[in-house]
Amino acid sequence: MVTIKDVAREAGVSVASVSRALNGHGGVTADTVERVREVAERLRYVPHMAARSLITRRTHTIGALLPDLYGEFFSELIRGVDLAARARGLHLLVSSSHDGVADAAAAMRAMQGRVDGMLILSPWVDAAFLHANLPPSLPVLLLNSAVHDAGYSVLNIDNFGGAHAMTRHLVGAGHADVAFIAGPAANYDAQQRELGYRAAMAEFAPRTALNIVPGEFTEESGYQAGRALLAQPRRPRAVFAANDMMAVGCLYAFKEAGLRVPEDIALAGFDDIPIARYLTPPLSTVRVRIAELGRDALERLATLLETPDGPAAMETLDCELVVRETCGASSAAASSGGR
C-alpha cells in the first residue's frame, strides 16, 4: 500500500508538505501542490482515513439509525439521505433497531467515534434514552419523533394532518363507514395517524362507530387485517391503512375474497411508496416525499455539524393527498376533502 511517505519521497518534499497540499491547508506553493497531487494520482495514493480523523477529529461519516431496513419506505429514505451525503462528500453508516430498545442502544454506542453526527428514526428513543446513550456533543437530528427536548432537533411529517385529510376525503366520497388499520402501538407515526383518523371520524362521521384493527406496518399484517375486517358481521365501505405496505396486503385479501376495489370496498394507504401507483388498481394514498425527507434530514444535520452551538429546531413537513383508483373518487374530491 502506498503511504504518505512514498508520496513525499517521490515528490521531493516533506510529509507535512504533502499533508498540507492534499488537505488544502495552505503553507505550500502552487507548484508544490500541483506536483504532490500529480504524484499522489500516479501512485494511486489513498489517504488513511483513520489517521486523518485523528488529526481533523472528523470522520466525514453520518450514522443513520432506523427501525428496520426492509421495505420501500426505508429504501427510499436511505436513498435520499445517501444522495445528499454524497453531494457533501460524506459517507453513510446505517443500522437498525427492529429488535427493541437494547438493539437501539447497542447501535448508538457502536457508532460513537465513527460518525460526525446521527440521524435517528426509532420508536424506542426518548429524551432520557438519548441522554443515557449519546454524548451531548454529538450532533443529532431526530426523524418522526415525539421528543421535545431543547438539546435535540426534530424533523417530523404531518402524520395527523395527512390521516385527517384522507379520512375526510373518504367520508366526503360517500364512504361514511371507514375502518382503520393501525400501525405498531409504540410507533409515533402510527399513533399520530390513528389520532388523525379518530379526529376526522368524530368531525365528519360522528354517528359511525370507530372500526380499528391492529397492524404492524407490514404486508402480512395488512393481509391479516383485511381478512379480519371481512369476517366482521358488517363489512366496512372503505378501509384506510396506516401505511401503504399494509394497504398492499389488504388489497390482496380483498381480491382473494373476490371483492372488487373500489366497487365493493374502497381502500387507501399512507406514504406513497413507489409501488403504490403500479398496483391494480393504483392506490390512493397520502404522499410523503420520502427521498426528499431523507435529503432534508441530511441537510439539516449538516447544518448542525457546521454550527454545533446553534439552537435546536422542530419542523414539520406537509403531506398531500394522492387520489387514484382504489378510493372510488375523482381527484377533484381531494381538494374539497383535504386540509
Side-chain angles (χ1 to χ4, degrees):
M1 180 180 294
V2 176
T3 69
I4 193 171
K5 291 182 179 179
D6 298 325
V7 176
R9 183 172 57 252
E10 185 75 11
V13 297
S14 67
V15 169
S17 294
V18 173
S19 178
R20 285 192 289 268
L22 294 180
N23 291 321
H25 291 165
V28 291
T29 66
D31 288 342
T32 299
V33 170
E34 184 177 355
R35 184 165 72 257
V36 167
R37 290 182 176 175
E38 184 276 324
V39 170
E41 183 176 355
R42 175 161 48 82
L43 297 182
R44 297 184 179 180
Y45 168 67
V46 177
H48 193 286
M49 294 308 298
R52 176 177 286 185
S53 295
L54 290 174
I55 299 171
T56 64
R57 297 188 179 184
R58 293 287 293 271
T59 66
H60 302 284
T61 301
I62 296 299
L65 177 64
L66 304 176
D68 204 337
L69 303 182
Y70 172 77
E72 287 197 82
F73 181 91
F74 294 117
S75 65
E76 278 292 288
L77 184 67
I78 292 171
R79 184 173 71 89
V81 173
D82 188 51
L83 288 174
R86 286 175 178 270
R88 286 180 168 269
L90 300 172
H91 301 286
L92 191 59
L93 182 62
V94 182
S95 189
S96 69
S97 62
H98 58 80
D99 283 338
V101 64
D103 269 5
M108 287 182 180
R109 290 194 294 268
M111 288 186 185
Q112 291 179 36
R114 301 182 182 184
V115 298
D116 297 327
M118 288 186 67
L119 298 172
I120 299 176
L121 170 57
S122 173
W124 314 109
V125 165
D126 59 20
F129 181 84
L130 292 168
H131 287 300
N133 290 282
L134 290 177
S137 59
L138 183 70
V140 171
L141 179 73
L142 305 176
L143 281 168
N144 296 348
S145 173
V147 171
H148 287 79
D149 187 288
Y152 299 104
S153 291
V154 181
L155 180 62
N156 286 331
I157 56 176
D158 190 5
N159 289 293
F160 178 94
H164 187 280
M166 178 56 80
T167 306
R168 178 181 176 183
H169 170 68
L170 292 170
V171 173
H175 312 310
D177 184 7
V178 180
F180 184 74
I181 304 176
N187 185 284
Y188 179 69
D189 289 351
Q191 294 167 1
Q192 291 297 303
R193 292 172 191 183
E194 182 175 333
L195 289 174
Y197 161 78
R198 287 177 175 272
M201 290 296 288
E203 185 176 355
F204 301 108
R207 297 182 180 179
T208 303
L210 296 179
N211 188 357
I212 301 174
V213 294
E216 291 295 330
F217 276 174
T218 64
E219 301 102 316
E220 174 62 23
S221 69
Y223 172 75
Q224 295 299 339
R227 287 172 57 91
L229 288 168
L230 296 183
Q232 293 178 351
R234 184 173 181 271
R235 190 175 71 210
R237 183 61 192 88
V239 176
F240 178 20
N243 80 340
D244 288 347
M245 301 296 282
M246 293 193 298
V248 170
C250 191
L251 179 63
Y252 183 77
F254 292 165
K255 289 189 174 182
E256 186 179 63
L259 295 180
R260 299 168 301 160
V261 176
E263 292 84 358
D264 298 321
I265 188 167
L267 179 65
F270 201 117
D271 287 335
D272 196 28
I273 59 177
I275 198 175
R277 71 196 64 185
Y278 300 116
L279 296 174
T280 303
L283 181 67
S284 295
T285 186
V286 180
R287 175 174 291 159
V288 177
R289 298 187 182 277
I290 306 170
E292 291 183 21
L293 174 65
R295 180 201 66 195
D296 291 348
L298 190 282
E299 293 296 336
R300 284 163 173 77
L301 181 58
T303 299
L304 293 176
L305 295 177
E306 294 163 1
T307 55
D309 296 327
M314 177 173 285
E315 299 178 72
T316 300
L317 303 180
D318 288 337
C319 303
E320 62 180 297
L321 293 185
V322 179
V323 178
R324 299 191 179 105
E325 296 177 24
T326 57
C327 67
S330 67
S331 58
S335 59
S336 62
R339 299 188 301 282

